């Protein structure tokens, strides 16, 4: 499912009426709408269904990260709401990412959402990498995780604008890059 317009504005609110109003106003001008944990915590799957009913593709920015079976269950459940994109943390490993991809397919078939890996959160820097025991730079870790996500069959990754060139060279033009 290609997106003609690559812009997905973040609707960072817990207010369903406000999200719906913003969604109706923005939908004609963007490729879809991004909803995150705040919205999901307030409204759950029903909130995502309500937003998908507006007709714009929905990016469920939920960043699943757990054991493969648990992530698969979460992805399977959210895929049934009509979303277009869901993300998982690539640091969950290959088995977890493969389980997420399979769960999306099992739940939604050919209309499955794109499954995207989160590489390194853009709020983290090289010092944060070192503090968590990762001996490479944030950029090196992002590339390593992007390659792993591609090997696991994911559709793409979330990455920093600074990592686009390296990831594109390594993962190819068909691999989706989502840049906050």
């Amino acid at each position: 499912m290609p997106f003609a317009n690559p812009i997905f504005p973040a609707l960072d609110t817990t207010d369903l009426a406000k999200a719906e109003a913003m969604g109706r106003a923005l939908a004609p001008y963007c490729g879809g709408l991004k909803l995150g944990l705040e919205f999901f915590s307030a409204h759950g799957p029903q909130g995502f269904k309500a937003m998908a009913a507006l007709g714009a593709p929905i990016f469920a920015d939920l960043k699943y990260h757990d054991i493969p079976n648990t992530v698969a269950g979460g992805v399977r459940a959210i895929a049934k709401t009509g979303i277009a994109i869901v993300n998982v943390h690539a640091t969950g490993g290959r088995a977890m990412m493969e389980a997420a991809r399979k769960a999306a397919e099992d739940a939604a078939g050919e209309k499955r959402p794109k499954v995207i890996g989160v590489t390194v959160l853009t709020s983290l820097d090289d010092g944060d990498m070192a503090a968590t025991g990762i001996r490479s730079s944030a950029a090196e870790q992002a590339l390593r995780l992007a390659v792993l996500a591609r090997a696991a069959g994911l559709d793409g990754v979330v990455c920093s604008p600074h990592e686009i060139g390296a990831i594109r060279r390594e993962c190819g033009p068909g691999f989706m890059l989502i840049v906050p």
Side-chain angles (χ1 to χ4, degrees):
M1 148 187 10
F3 300 101
N5 182 334
I7 298 171
F8 278 58
L11 306 184
D12 293 332
T13 181
T14 59
D15 184 321
L16 180 59
K18 184 176 180 181
E20 288 175 323
M22 287 190 296
R24 277 190 295 278
L26 291 169
Y29 307 104
C30 62
L33 307 168
K34 183 179 85 68
L35 298 163
L37 285 172
E38 303 94 343
F39 185 85
F40 186 74
S41 295
H43 302 287
Q46 295 303 348
F48 278 80
K49 283 182 184 177
M51 293 301 293
L54 297 176
I58 301 297
F59 172 13
D61 184 17
L62 299 177
K63 299 179 185 78
Y64 288 113
H65 187 194
D66 209 316
I67 63 172
N69 188 56
T70 300
V71 168
V75 169
R76 191 175 300 108
I78 202 68
K80 293 177 182 177
T81 66
I83 60 160
I85 304 170
V86 64
N87 57 9
V88 300
H89 273 284
T91 54
R94 184 172 179 154
M96 186 206 74
M97 290 187 282
E98 288 172 344
R101 166 71 188 243
K102 183 172 183 335
E105 290 170 356
D106 291 348
E110 290 182 21
K111 294 187 143 208
R112 75 160 180 85
K114 298 232 181 251
V115 182
I116 305 298
V118 176
T119 56
V120 175
L121 296 174
T122 56
S123 61
L124 301 178
D125 62 19
D126 293 348
D128 296 310
M129 295 290 100
T132 59
I134 297 171
R135 295 180 185 201
S136 56
S137 69
E140 291 165 337
Q141 179 70 352
L143 179 59
R144 181 179 302 112
L145 291 171
V147 169
L148 182 62
R150 185 189 63 190
L154 296 195
D155 298 291
V157 293
V158 177
C159 65
S160 153
H162 304 290
E163 298 149 3
I164 292 171
I167 293 173
R168 181 61 70 221
R169 280 189 297 279
E170 190 66 32
C171 296
F175 196 63
M176 182 185 282
L177 302 182
I178 295 179
V179 182

